[in-house]
Coordinates of all heavy atoms in Angstrom, one line a residue:
I10 N 83.6 107.3 102.5 CA 83.2 105.8 102.8 C 84.4 105.0 103.4 O 85.6 105.3 102.8 CB 82.7 105.1 101.5 CG1 81.6 105.7 100.8 CG2 82.4 103.6 101.9 CD1 81.1 105.1 99.5
K12 N 85.6 101.5 103.2 CA 85.3 100.4 102.3 C 85.3 99.2 103.0 O 85.8 99.0 104.2 CB 86.2 100.6 101.1 CG 86.2 101.8 100.1 CD 86.9 101.8 99.0 CE 86.9 103.0 98.1 NZ 87.7 103.0 96.8
F51 N 76.3 103.7 92.7 CA 77.1 104.7 93.4 C 78.2 105.0 92.4 O 78.6 106.1 92.3 CB 77.7 104.1 94.7 CG 78.5 105.2 95.4 CD1 78.0 106.2 95.9 CD2 79.8 105.0 95.3 CE1 78.8 107.3 96.5 CE2 80.7 105.9 95.9 CZ 80.1 107.0 96.6
Y52 N 78.8 103.9 91.8 CA 80.0 104.2 90.9 C 79.6 104.4 89.4 O 80.4 104.0 88.5 CB 80.9 103.1 91.1 CG 81.9 103.3 92.3 CD1 81.9 102.4 93.4 CD2 82.7 104.4 92.6 CE1 82.6 102.6 94.5 CE2 83.5 104.6 93.6 CZ 83.5 103.7 94.6 OH 84.3 103.9 95.7
H55 N 81.8 105.5 86.6 CA 82.9 104.7 86.1 C 82.5 103.6 85.3 O 83.2 102.5 85.0 CB 83.7 104.1 87.5 CG 84.4 105.1 88.2 ND1 85.3 106.0 87.7 CD2 84.3 105.5 89.5 CE1 85.8 106.8 88.5 NE2 85.2 106.5 89.7
R58 N 84.7 101.9 82.7 CA 86.1 101.6 83.1 C 86.3 100.1 83.1 O 85.4 99.5 83.6 CB 86.5 102.2 84.5 CG 86.4 103.7 84.5 CD 87.3 104.4 83.8 NE 87.3 105.9 84.2 CZ 88.1 106.5 85.0 NH1 89.0 105.8 85.8 NH2 88.0 107.6 85.2
P59 N 87.5 99.6 82.8 CA 87.6 98.1 82.9 C 87.5 97.6 84.3 O 87.3 96.4 84.4 CB 89.1 98.1 82.3 CG 89.7 99.4 82.5 CD 88.6 100.4 82.3
F60 N 87.6 98.4 85.3 CA 87.5 97.9 86.7 C 86.2 98.1 87.3 O 86.1 97.6 88.6 CB 88.7 98.6 87.6 CG 88.5 100.1 87.5 CD1 87.6 100.8 88.4 CD2 89.4 100.9 86.9 CE1 87.4 102.2 88.4 CE2 89.3 102.3 86.8 CZ 88.3 103.0 87.6
S63 N 84.9 94.6 88.8 CA 85.6 94.2 90.1 C 85.4 95.2 91.1 O 85.3 94.8 92.3 CB 87.1 94.2 89.6 OG 88.0 94.2 90.5
L64 N 85.4 96.5 90.9 CA 85.2 97.6 91.9 C 83.9 97.3 92.5 O 83.7 97.4 93.9 CB 85.3 98.9 91.4 CG 84.9 100.0 92.2 CD1 85.8 100.1 93.4 CD2 84.8 101.3 91.5
F67 N 83.9 94.3 94.8 CA 84.6 94.5 96.0 C 83.6 95.3 97.0 O 83.6 95.1 98.2 CB 85.9 95.3 95.7 CG 86.4 96.2 96.8 CD1 86.7 95.6 98.0 CD2 86.8 97.5 96.5 CE1 87.4 96.3 99.1 CE2 87.5 98.2 97.6 CZ 87.7 97.6 98.8
M68 N 83.0 96.5 96.4 CA 82.3 97.3 97.4 C 81.1 96.7 97.9 O 80.4 97.2 98.9 CB 81.9 98.6 96.5 CG 83.2 99.5 96.4 SD 84.1 100.2 97.8 CE 82.7 101.2 98.5
R88 N 90.6 114.4 100.9 CA 91.3 113.9 99.9 C 92.9 113.8 100.3 O 93.6 112.9 100.0 CB 91.2 114.4 98.5 CG 89.8 114.1 97.9 CD 89.3 114.7 96.8 NE 90.1 114.2 95.6 CZ 89.8 112.9 95.0 NH1 88.9 112.2 95.4 NH2 90.6 112.5 94.0
M91 N 93.4 111.1 103.0 CA 93.3 109.9 102.4 C 94.6 109.5 101.6 O 95.0 108.3 101.7 CB 92.1 109.7 101.4 CG 90.7 109.9 102.1 SD 89.4 109.5 100.9 CE 89.7 110.3 99.6
T94 N 94.9 107.7 95.2 CA 94.1 106.5 94.9 C 95.0 105.3 94.9 O 94.6 104.4 95.6 CB 93.4 106.6 93.6 OG1 92.7 107.9 93.5 CG2 92.5 105.5 93.3
R105 N 95.7 105.9 103.0 CA 96.0 104.9 101.9 C 97.4 104.3 102.0 O 97.8 103.1 101.8 CB 95.6 105.4 100.6 CG 94.0 105.3 100.4 CD 93.7 106.1 99.1 NE 92.4 106.0 98.9 CZ 91.7 107.0 98.1 NH1 92.2 108.0 97.6 NH2 90.4 106.8 97.8
D111 N 96.1 97.9 97.5 CA 96.3 98.1 96.2 C 95.3 99.3 95.7 O 94.5 99.8 96.5 CB 96.4 97.0 95.3 CG 94.9 96.2 95.4 OD1 93.9 97.0 95.3 OD2 94.9 95.0 95.6
I112 N 95.4 99.7 94.5 CA 94.7 100.7 93.9 C 93.2 100.5 94.0 O 92.4 101.5 94.2 CB 95.1 101.0 92.3 CG1 94.5 102.3 91.8 CG2 94.6 99.9 91.4 CD1 95.0 102.9 90.7
E113 N 92.7 99.3 93.9 CA 91.3 99.1 94.1 C 90.9 98.9 95.7 O 90.0 99.6 96.1 CB 90.9 97.7 93.5 CG 89.3 97.5 93.6 CD 88.9 96.3 92.8 OE1 88.7 96.5 91.5 OE2 88.8 95.2 93.2
R114 N 91.5 98.3 96.3 CA 91.2 97.9 97.9 C 92.1 99.0 98.7 O 93.1 98.7 99.2 CB 91.6 96.6 98.2 CG 90.9 95.4 97.4 CD 91.3 94.0 97.8 NE 90.6 93.7 99.1 CZ 89.5 93.1 99.1 NH1 88.7 92.9 98.0 NH2 88.8 92.7 100.2
N115 N 91.5 100.2 98.4 CA 92.3 101.4 99.0 C 91.7 102.1 100.1 O 91.7 103.2 100.5 CB 92.5 102.3 97.8 CG 91.3 102.9 97.3 OD1 90.1 102.6 97.7 ND2 91.3 103.9 96.3
I116 N 90.8 101.3 101.0 CA 90.3 101.6 102.3 C 89.2 102.6 102.4 O 88.3 102.5 103.1 CB 91.4 102.1 103.3 CG1 92.5 101.1 103.3 CG2 91.0 102.4 104.7 CD1 92.2 99.7 104.1
V117 N 89.5 103.7 101.6 CA 88.4 105.0 101.8 C 88.2 105.5 100.5 O 88.8 105.4 99.5 CB 89.1 106.1 102.6 CG1 88.9 105.8 104.0 CG2 90.6 106.3 102.3
H118 N 87.0 106.2 100.4 CA 86.5 106.9 99.3 C 86.1 108.3 99.8 O 85.6 108.5 100.9 CB 85.2 106.3 98.6 CG 84.6 107.2 97.6 ND1 85.0 107.4 96.4 CD2 83.6 108.1 97.8 CE1 84.2 108.4 95.7 NE2 83.3 108.8 96.7
G119 N 86.5 109.4 98.9 CA 86.0 110.7 99.3 C 85.6 111.4 98.0 O 86.1 111.2 96.9
Ligands
LIG6 P1 87.6 105.7 94.7 O1 88.2 107.0 95.2 O2 86.5 105.1 95.5 O3 87.1 106.1 93.2 C1 87.0 105.0 92.3 C2 87.5 103.8 92.8 O4 87.8 102.8 91.7 C3 88.9 103.9 93.4 O5 88.6 104.8 94.6 C4 89.4 102.6 93.5 O6 88.9 101.8 94.6 C5 89.0 102.1 92.1 N1 90.0 102.3 91.1 C6 90.5 103.3 90.5 N2 91.3 103.1 89.6 C7 91.5 101.8 89.6 C8 92.3 100.9 88.8 N3 93.0 101.3 87.8 N4 92.1 99.6 89.0 C9 91.2 99.0 89.9 N5 90.5 99.9 90.7 C10 90.6 101.3 90.6

Side-chain angles (χ1 to χ4, degrees):
I10 304 178
K12 298 184 179 186
F51 180 74
Y52 278 119
H55 295 308
R58 303 283 190 99
F60 55 82
S63 157
L64 171 64
F67 161 52
M68 288 301 291
R88 291 175 71 76
M91 294 192 307
T94 305
R105 286 168 170 159
D111 57 50
I112 193 168
E113 181 172 277
R114 303 181 77 88
N115 64 355
I116 305 285
V117 275
H118 166 83

